[in-house]
Amino acid sequence: MLSGAVDPAELVALAERVARSAGALLLQRPTDLGVSTKSSPTDVVTVMDRASERLLVDGLLEARPDDGILGEEGGERSGASGVRWLLDPIDGTVNYLYGLREWTVSVAAEADGEVVAGVVHAPALGDTYAATLGGGARWNGDPTGVGSAPELAQTLLATGFGYDSAQRARQAAVIAAVLPRVRDIRRIGAASLDLCLLAAGRVDAYVEQGLQPWDLAAGGLIASEAGARVEGLRGAPAGEALVIATRPELFDALHSLLVGAGVDTLTTGGTS
């Protein structure tokens, strides 16, 4: 039961409202993005990441001033309501920097530590994905689901890589071992969008290591509510160590393939 009997439908409506506002801001892409780096030379942040997060935080707290906040760009605030928002103001910043369209604004709400509402808005693509816990997933307002799974050899697998060069080399070795066993690999560059593409049946599976809570919260809920199995390795919860997300009947075969490919050798790290 949510603290104060909070309605997930109200939370997802608020999440979508602020995500769309942030998306509209981000579409006004300035010439000078004020790029700087964080954990490594490939881990970039722009002035628009920070502007988007400020807009999200202000909009959420105006509507719900007692809620907590955890944002990728430092927006962290404790709350008293039992609800905390997890924000990725631009998921896919490198794509945004290069003028590619595959980036999102990701907004999720957790109540007493459980994600209960999530929105992933991809304004440059014209797509918005949303879900509430137990209420199913929607793509542009219509119900969506993962559908039936192909055989492993016919699986289109989405993935991503960390920021650290040594980490990327280990991740690449695992993917190189996986590639001959699946249909193909897609590296789109935004974890939340990968998970939503799975929810919409546009990829068959998604695997990535190093996701932070703001990367996973909204997209993970949307994929789960669309019928995907979203877990970590050997029954662990999905999280920074590993995310495996796919149609349920494909999960065990993909899990076994990853173990055989050496996924245990990977260590944690960020995503780009």
Side-chain angles (χ1 to χ4, degrees):
M1 186 68 176
L2 302 187
S3 297
V6 173
D7 183 357
E10 294 179 2
L11 297 178
V12 82
L14 174 58
E16 182 167 347
R17 187 162 70 248
V18 297
R20 287 184 177 277
S21 295
L25 172 71
L26 292 168
L27 287 173
Q28 302 170 29
R29 186 176 179 274
T31 302
D32 183 3
L33 289 171
V35 181
S36 58
T37 60
K38 297 188 286 185
S39 64
S40 81
T42 57
D43 183 7
V44 299
V45 61
T46 71
V47 294
M48 297 304 287
D49 290 86
R50 297 188 175 102
S52 176
E53 186 162 301
R54 285 194 301 272
L55 188 154
L56 292 172
V57 171
D58 289 348
L60 292 169
L61 294 183
E62 181 180 3
R64 297 183 53 85
D66 295 328
D67 290 354
I69 300 283
L70 178 63
E72 181 180 15
E73 306 309 333
E76 186 167 6
R77 175 186 186 275
S78 59
S81 67
V83 173
R84 183 174 72 154
W85 296 91
L86 297 96
L87 311 176
D88 196 338
I90 307 179
D91 185 17
T93 297
V94 172
N95 288 347
Y96 184 78
L97 174 64
Y98 278 81
L100 302 175
R101 300 190 302 158
E102 290 78 11
W103 52 271
T104 75
V105 179
S106 178
V107 180
E110 61 180 20
D112 300 326
E114 183 175 29
V115 179
V116 298
V119 169
V120 173
H121 178 47
L125 298 173
D127 287 324
T128 303
Y129 305 86
T132 55
L133 184 63
R138 291 186 173 271
W139 171 20
N140 291 337
D142 295 323
T144 189
V146 296
S148 58
E151 296 180 358
L152 185 62
Q154 299 302 314
T155 294
L156 183 61
L157 175 67
T159 194
F161 301 101
Y163 294 121
D164 177 77
S165 60
Q167 175 74 359
R168 286 186 175 194
R170 291 189 292 270
Q171 292 171 332
V174 171
I175 291 301
V178 169
L179 180 56
R181 301 282 306 279
V182 298
R183 181 191 293 275
D184 210 343
I185 302 288
R186 292 291 179 269
R187 197 281 201 256
I188 292 165
S192 62
L193 184 57
D194 286 322
L195 286 158
C196 290
L197 293 176
L198 171 61
R202 299 164 93 179
V203 300
D204 301 308
Y206 166 67
V207 174
E208 189 159 352
Q209 179 204 27
L211 297 192
Q212 299 302 311
W214 48 79
D215 297 313
L216 176 60
L221 178 66
I222 291 164
S224 294
E225 287 295 324
R229 183 174 170 183
V230 183
E231 292 183 17
L233 201 61
R234 298 186 177 89
E240 187 175 6
L242 192 68
V243 175
I244 306 171
T246 188
R247 295 159 175 163
E249 60 269 35
L250 183 61
F251 187 94
D252 289 342
L254 179 58
H255 184 282
S256 296
L257 174 59
L258 291 165
V259 171
V263 74
D264 289 294
T265 65
L266 300 180
T267 59
T268 58
T271 59
S272 57

